[in-house]
Amino acid sequence: MASAKSPSEIARETLKLLATRRLPPTPDHYQALYDEVAGTTSAPAFPGAQLRQISRVIPGQTPAQKRLLGLLETAITQQDWGVLQNVLVGYANLGLSPVAAPEPASTRIDHLPLTLAQNLARLVDNTLPALGEDDARVHELAAQLSTFLREPDPPVSTTELMLGNFSYRLSFAAEDQAAIRLSLLSLLRLVFENIAALSMDDEWLHGQAEALLAASTPPLTLRRLDDVQRRLKDVIFKQTEAKERTVHAQMQMRELLATFIERLAQMDESSSAYNTKMEDCAERISQATQLQDIMPLLEEVMAATRAMALSSRVTRGELQELRERTEAKHAEIDHLRQELDRASAQARHDPLTGSLNRKGFAEAMEREIARARRQDAPLCVALLDVDNFKSINDRLGHTAGDAALVHLAQVTREVMRPQDQLARYGGEEFVIILPDTELAEGVKAMERLQRELTTRYFLKDQERVLITFSAGVAQVEGEQGSADAIRRADQGMYLAKRTGKNRVVAA
C-alpha cells in the first residue's frame, strides 16, 4: 500500500535512514530505502553502461553473431528487458557465454598486443600447408582467424573464442593427416618388402628395393630423401641400361641354341637318308647277276657318300661357328652380369663422392662393431660437417659445392688409413669409421685431416677456396651400438660449431 506522505517527507526520512544504518549514499541504496519508506516497489534500473562494455567484447564475426549484436545495441538503447532476454537466449543457443566474470582492472587485457596478434596470424598461415586440402572447414576457420588477427586491436575474448574453435578443428585435421602419412608409408614399405622378397635372384632389382626400404625408414628428412632420390635415379638408369643389354644377349643366345638344335636335326636327317640309301643299294647289289648291273649302283653309292661327306663338312663348320659364337655370348653375358653387380653395389655408395651412403655405412659399421667385440679392439667414429657450406653454394653455385664435397672426400681417402672407411651421412655431413683407434687417436687423426686441407685448397675458376670442417669423435663403448656413437659424435660436432668451427671435439 502506498504511503500518504509527500515526496519531500519520504526523501527526508530516506536520508535519515541512510545515516542511521550507515549505508553509502549510492543510488541503489537510496532507491531501496525510498521504496521502504514509501511502501512501493520500483522497477530495477537498466544496466546500460555495463551492457555496453559487454557488447564491445562479444564476438560479431558470423552473420548470426552480427544479428544478435545488433539486437543487443537496440536493447541497450531502448532499455528493453524483453529484447535483452532474447539476445541472451540467442547467444546461449550459439554455445557462447556473453557475460564473463570481470577480471581485476589491473590485470585485465582487453586487446591483443600488435606483435602477438601478428605472430599468431603467421602461425595460422604456416600451419595450413601441412594439412592438405581435404578439410575445407579448417581452411575457412583459419582464413577468418588470420583476417581477424590482422585487424587493429583484436579483442582478447573474441580471439580466445575463434582460436579455440580453430584449434579444435585443427586437432582432427592433424590426426587425419598423420594417419594418412603413416598408412601411405606402411603401404610403400609393404610394396618394397614384397619386391625385395620376390627378387632375391635378381640382384639389380633387389638392390633397388633395399635402397627404397632404407629411404622409407623413419625418421625422414627432406635432405635425406633428396639424396636417396638422386642416387636411386642414377642406379636405375645404369641398371636399366645393363638389363636391356643382358636381355638382348640372352635373346641372341637362345637364337644360337635354336640354330644349333636345327643343325643337329639336319645332320640326323642326312644320316638317316644316307643309311636308307645305303641299305637300298646293298639290297639291289645283292640281287644283281651281271657286272654291268652293279656299276651304276656303285656310282650311286659313291655319289651319296660324297654328298654325305660334303654335308658333314658344312655342318661341322656351322657347328664350330655356332660354338664360337655361343662362347662369345656367354662371355658377354658374364660381363653384363658383372656390370649389374657393380650397379647394384652403387645402392650402397654415394654417386657424387664415391663414398658409402647411409645404408653402406650402417652395414660397414655393424661389421666393424662385431669385429671390435670379437677382438676386444677399440673403435671410433667421427662425424664431420663442412663449415659455411651454404655460403659456398650461394657464392660459387651448387656445382662448385658438389665439387668441394668431392675434393673433401678425395683428400680424406688419401690422408686416412686403408682400413678407415668414409661415408656421406647426408648433405655436407660425412662419417669416418676408425677401426683399432682410441678416442684420443681419433681426435688427432681428424686434426691431421684438418691440417692437410689447409695445404690443399679447392680450386674454382682459379680461385683458391679453403675447405674446413667441424667434427665430433666418439668411441664405441661396451654393448652400445652405432646409433649411440653417432649421437655422441653429433653432439661433439655441434659443440665444435658453437665454439668457433674448424675444431674437433671428443664426445
Side-chain angles (χ1 to χ4, degrees):
M1 182 175 180
S3 173
K5 299 179 181 179
S6 65
S8 59
E9 292 175 341
I10 295 173
R12 283 195 297 271
E13 290 188 21
T14 299
L15 293 174
K16 290 179 181 178
L17 286 175
L18 282 173
T20 302
R21 298 179 182 179
R22 297 182 180 181
L23 296 175
T26 63
D28 292 337
H29 289 161
Y30 182 87
Q31 184 66 53
L33 293 177
Y34 187 95
D35 291 339
E36 180 182 336
V37 173
T40 59
T41 301
S42 300
F46 194 84
Q50 293 86 345
L51 290 175
R52 289 192 184 281
Q53 183 177 1
I54 293 174
S55 69
R56 286 194 292 269
V57 297
I58 283 181
Q61 303 300 314
T62 66
Q65 292 173 351
K66 291 179 180 179
R67 182 181 62 81
L68 290 173
L69 191 59
L71 290 176
L72 179 60
E73 292 291 340
T74 301
I76 295 172
T77 302
Q78 299 178 359
Q79 296 189 359
D80 190 327
W81 288 98
V83 176
L84 179 62
Q85 176 180 341
N86 293 335
V87 171
L88 295 177
V89 172
Y91 271 107
N93 291 333
L94 290 178
L96 305 175
S97 178
V99 181
E103 299 179 2
S106 59
T107 61
R108 187 173 61 216
I109 300 177
D110 295 331
H111 301 281
L112 283 181
L114 176 61
T115 303
L116 178 59
Q118 291 178 346
N119 287 336
L120 284 174
R122 281 195 293 270
L123 176 63
V124 173
D125 295 340
N126 294 335
T127 301
L128 293 182
L131 300 179
E133 301 294 334
D134 297 336
D135 194 335
R137 179 58 178 162
V138 75
H139 284 269
E140 178 184 349
L141 291 174
Q144 294 176 357
L145 180 57
S146 179
T147 302
F148 174 75
L149 289 171
R150 287 182 168 88
E151 294 179 355
D153 298 326
V156 171
S157 59
T158 308
T159 303
E160 291 177 349
L161 175 65
M162 297 182 69
L163 192 59
N165 292 339
F166 173 68
S167 63
Y168 180 73
R169 189 76 185 195
L170 178 64
S171 64
F172 290 103
E175 289 179 3
D176 288 345
Q177 291 298 317
I180 289 172
R181 283 194 295 270
L182 287 176
S183 297
L184 286 176
L185 188 58
S186 298
L187 288 174
L188 284 175
R189 288 189 60 81
L190 183 61
V191 171
F192 299 155
E193 288 172 358
N194 286 337
I195 293 176
L198 295 173
S199 61
M200 292 300 296
D201 296 332
D202 197 335
E203 289 295 332
W204 73 274
L205 184 58
H206 190 71
Q208 290 189 54
E210 288 186 341
L212 291 172
L213 276 171
S216 60
T217 300
L220 300 178
T221 63
L222 289 177
R223 183 174 67 182
R224 179 182 174 190
L225 290 176
D226 288 341
D227 289 342
V228 173
Q229 183 183 38
R230 286 195 299 268
R231 172 178 52 75
L232 194 56
K233 284 182 178 179
D234 183 63
V235 172
I236 290 174
F237 173 77
K238 292 179 179 179
Q239 290 175 335
T240 302
E241 183 183 34
K243 186 71 174 180
E244 290 175 352
R245 291 166 59 191
T246 301
V247 171
H248 180 66
Q250 290 173 344
M251 291 178 61
Q252 290 182 329
M253 176 65 75
R254 285 195 294 267
E255 292 174 0
L256 288 174
L257 291 175
T259 304
F260 184 80
I261 293 171
E262 181 182 353
R263 291 294 183 269
L264 289 177
Q266 290 175 356
M267 285 184 65
D268 184 63
E269 291 176 0
S270 299
S271 178
S272 298
Y274 177 73
N275 289 335
T276 302
K277 185 69 173 178
M278 291 301 101
E279 290 176 358
D280 180 63
C281 289
E283 178 67 25
R284 290 162 61 188
I285 288 173
S286 66
Q287 295 177 1
T289 57
Q290 296 180 8
L291 183 60
Q292 57 269 27
D293 294 332
I294 297 175
M295 290 303 295
L297 293 175
L298 290 177
E299 290 178 0
E300 190 174 343
V301 170
M302 293 299 295
T305 302
R306 283 195 298 269
M308 180 63 185
L310 178 60
S311 176
S312 297
R313 286 196 298 270
V314 172
T315 303
R316 279 199 302 271
E318 291 180 348
L319 290 177
Q320 181 64 28
E321 180 185 357
L322 286 172
R323 178 182 176 183
E324 293 173 355
R325 290 170 60 188
T326 300
E327 291 176 350
K329 287 300 174 184
H330 271 301
E332 182 178 354
I333 290 175
D334 288 339
H335 175 69
L336 291 173
R337 185 174 293 108
Q338 292 174 4
E339 287 190 10
L340 282 175
D341 292 340
R342 285 193 296 270
S344 297
Q346 288 193 12
R348 290 168 175 78
H349 288 78
D350 173 50
L352 176 64
T353 62
S355 57
L356 295 172
N357 58 21
R358 290 187 68 146
K359 180 175 179 60
F361 162 73
E363 294 176 354
M365 192 68 181
E366 292 305 317
R367 289 194 299 269
E368 290 299 332
I369 289 177
R371 189 190 66 84
R373 288 173 180 169
R374 285 195 308 270
Q375 301 178 3
D376 194 23
L379 174 64
C380 280
V381 60
L383 181 63
L384 288 63
D385 188 273
V386 179
D387 295 327
N388 306 315
F389 185 71
K390 185 178 183 300
S391 64
I392 296 177
N393 273 337
D394 294 342
R395 188 169 63 87
L396 301 178
H398 289 282
T399 301
D402 289 345
L405 296 179
V406 173
H407 173 77
L408 172 62
Q410 180 179 351
V411 174
T412 301
R413 280 191 289 266
E414 293 175 359
V415 172
M416 305 308 293
R417 303 169 302 176
Q419 65 266 36
D420 299 332
Q421 298 185 67
L422 174 68
R424 187 179 180 189
Y425 202 63
E428 65 272 20
E429 288 184 343
F430 290 84
V431 180
I432 301 179
I433 304 175
L434 302 166
D436 303 311
T437 304
E438 299 281 357
L439 183 59
E441 296 172 348
V443 172
K444 291 180 181 178
M446 293 302 99
E447 291 174 345
R448 283 196 302 271
L449 178 57
Q450 286 181 327
R451 289 194 297 271
E452 186 67 22
L453 282 171
T454 61
T455 64
R456 300 173 62 170
Y457 286 90
F458 165 63
L459 294 177
K460 171 60 178 175
D461 298 332
Q462 304 305 316
E463 177 183 352
R464 296 200 305 176
V465 181
L466 176 62
I467 304 297
T468 66
F469 64 81
S470 301
V473 182
Q475 184 170 345
V476 179
E477 300 174 349
E479 296 300 319
Q480 294 177 339
S482 61
D484 178 75
I486 287 294
R487 178 185 58 79
R488 289 186 285 113
D490 183 69
Q491 292 174 347
M493 182 271 291
Y494 180 74
L495 183 59
K497 289 281 189 184
R498 291 292 301 272
T499 53
K501 301 181 180 180
N502 196 23
R503 298 172 183 270
V504 181
V505 174

